[in-house]
Amino acid sequence: MKLKIAILAGDGIGPEVTREAVNILKAVAEFGGHDFSFTEALIGGVAITAEGAPLPKQTIDIALDSDAVLLGAVGDNKFNHLTPDKRPEAGLLQIRQVLGGYANLRPCLAFAALGDNSPLRREVTKGVDILFVRELLGGLYFGQPRWWNKETGEAVNTMRYTKDEVLRVGRVAFELARKRRKKLTQVDKANVLECSQLWRATIDELKADYPDVTVEHQLVDSMAMHLMNIPRNFDVVLTENLFGDILSDESGIITGSLGMLPSATLGGKVNLYEPVHGSAPDIAGQGKANPLGAILTAAMLLRHSAGLEEDALAIEAAVDKVLGAGHRTSDIARGGAAANATTHEMGRLVHSALSESIDKQQSLHAV
Ligand code: IPM
Ligand code: MN
């Protein structure tokens, strides 16, 4: 199998976690005899510094010419004084638009080994397996008009959705629910917002096509509470852009760390893969970052852009095994325990667990 992967490592901890994810992809290519190529390009603050723009044209060309884009993180406090359209984050929003993926899948899986890492009790988080489907190209992030008039002290952002935008991401969510536990929770603020009423009406219409899927609606404020109280009640959670941004960070509490969460954005010209965490400038370059979010993101890339489901599962199992053996980066070393693995060591441990499991599989096939 041949795969051209664009690597947009970005800012802060982006490069160090992405390096570990790429090592894992290289291992999968080697074991499986695949031909994966990697082309690096600039995005975010590093692109502003080098090229004067958060998403240079060359990066767009490389991304559009690839089969999948793997992104690290963007954001650098050095650019906090700039308006939103000039900041590193603008590069991320632009690449999402250019690639065109509208369905952002953000799984939240509670690894048993991290059961004591969450401030929630073990019996609350046990067995949690939620898949957030966040609409990624609409809502307040992109709605026009948007402005801030510093003279009058007034600012405007626009939440705007069309029925078609809800339908296309809704279909993705229903299809995914159908392959899972067949429950879809749609989250909105329909008691206040017209956009949310459009979402609700559209999903209610769509559910006729998926009679096997149970649909429930939740208001985002009470959803934020239920998520901490009874997270096991949720299977696929579908929501608009900003609510999805907020709820997916909140779900980091269930896994024990935001550093564990991967994501995949589907539906556009080229799929985009990025961990949910940010650039964490406070710990960048110190070997403290958790590469597991990026590594699990690489697994999603293999699953959704290469059809290599077995390899994706093998990576997820390797992560589980490494955690089970007690290896921890600082974000998941709670309860007073010190971190016992650096970013690179964590990556190497997953790599060797993966090699072992693949060796075993190959000798089983040979029998
Ligand atoms: C995320 C991030 C981004 C977002 C920021 C960096 C623009 O928080 O991917 O969740 O809000 O989408
Ligand atoms: Mn976010």
Side-chain angles (χ1 to χ4, degrees):
M1 142 125 249
K2 220 173 144 150
L3 209 62
K4 265 203 255 182
I5 305 171
I7 303 294
L8 278 49
D11 303 318
I13 61 169
E16 51 201 292
V17 298
T18 304
R19 198 173 304 133
E20 300 310 320
V22 168
N23 279 341
I24 296 295
L25 290 172
K26 285 184 176 160
V28 167
E30 195 187 319
F31 298 138
H34 304 299
D35 176 9
F36 293 174
S37 68
F38 301 91
T39 310
E40 292 183 16
L42 297 175
I43 192 167
V46 288
I48 299 177
T49 304
E51 307 282 338
L55 185 68
K57 163 125 191 357
Q58 206 199 350
T59 301
I60 297 179
D61 292 343
I62 290 172
L64 284 174
D65 185 46
S66 64
D67 300 309
V69 176
L70 179 64
L71 193 141
V74 298
D76 185 331
N77 293 333
K78 176 162 103 192
F79 302 107
N80 282 357
H81 62 287
L82 299 176
T83 52
D85 58 320
K86 305 223 160 38
R87 289 168 61 118
E89 289 83 351
L92 178 57
L93 299 182
Q94 281 163 26
I95 193 81
R96 287 176 182 170
Q97 254 183 329
V98 166
L99 298 178
Y102 48 84
N104 180 219
L105 278 44
R106 298 191 158 189
C108 168
L109 202 66
F111 286 91
L114 296 183
D116 292 325
N117 284 70
S118 172
L120 299 175
R121 288 192 311 280
R122 190 180 259 280
E123 52 286 15
V124 174
T125 62
K126 190 166 182 247
V128 169
D129 177 2
I130 303 173
L131 179 57
F132 290 92
V133 179
R134 169 188 178 194
E135 199 291 327
L136 204 63
L137 290 184
L140 284 164
Y141 278 66
F142 296 98
Q144 295 292 342
R146 55 182 300 160
W147 47 263
W148 175 19
N149 185 331
K150 292 192 181 157
E151 247 112 76
T152 64
E154 197 184 355
V156 168
N157 288 98
T158 302
M159 185 186 274
R160 178 181 175 279
Y161 270 104
T162 64
K163 184 173 175 183
D164 284 347
E165 285 171 332
V166 179
L167 280 173
R168 63 181 185 176
V169 71
R171 287 202 182 90
V172 172
F174 271 108
E175 292 293 337
L176 290 161
R178 190 166 250 185
K179 291 190 205 115
R180 294 168 47 100
R181 302 191 306 278
K182 300 188 173 39
K183 178 169 175 191
L184 180 74
T185 303
Q186 185 250 322
V187 179
D188 58 37
K189 187 72 185 170
N191 51 351
V192 178
L193 303 174
E194 283 77 4
C195 273
S196 288
Q197 293 178 334
L198 168 73
W199 269 80
R200 225 173 241 225
T202 306
I203 296 305
D204 276 341
E205 206 178 296
L206 199 54
K207 76 180 177 200
D209 292 347
Y210 302 89
D212 50 327
V213 176
T214 307
V215 176
E216 70 170 19
H217 304 284
Q218 289 283 353
L219 296 172
V220 64
D221 49 354
S222 67
M223 180 65 188
M225 186 185 64
H226 292 318
L227 201 52
M228 298 293 97
N229 200 24
I230 37 164
R232 253 197 317 276
N233 268 13
F234 302 105
D235 177 13
V236 174
V237 175
L238 167 66
T239 190
E240 66 89 48
N241 206 344
L242 182 63
F243 298 160
D245 179 47
I246 297 168
L247 293 178
S248 59
D249 262 38
E250 191 191 11
S251 76
I253 295 296
I254 299 167
T255 60
S257 169
L258 196 54
M260 295 296 303
L261 302 179
S263 99
T265 304
L266 315 179
K269 296 189 191 107
V270 182
N271 293 341
L272 171 65
Y273 299 89
E274 44 175 326
V276 171
H277 64 69
S279 59
D282 51 321
I283 57 162
Q286 300 169 35
K288 286 187 184 163
N290 184 348
L292 297 179
I295 288 172
L296 293 168
T297 297
M300 292 190 89
L301 187 156
L302 295 173
R303 170 171 294 129
H304 296 286
S305 284
L308 295 174
E309 178 64 26
E310 271 189 32
D311 296 273
L313 288 171
I315 293 172
E316 287 156 0
V319 167
D320 194 35
K321 192 169 168 201
V322 167
L323 292 173
H327 303 291
R328 299 284 187 273
T329 44
S330 55
D331 60 314
I332 44 176
R334 283 180 70 106
N340 56 12
T342 63
T343 308
H344 179 57
E345 277 159 8
M346 198 57 149
R348 207 177 36 77
L349 286 158
V350 175
H351 183 283
S352 68
L354 181 66
S355 321
E356 270 171 38
S357 82
I358 289 179
D359 272 355
K360 237 184 252 163
Q361 267 176 29
Q362 285 178 346
S363 50
L364 277 180
H365 284 310
V367 180

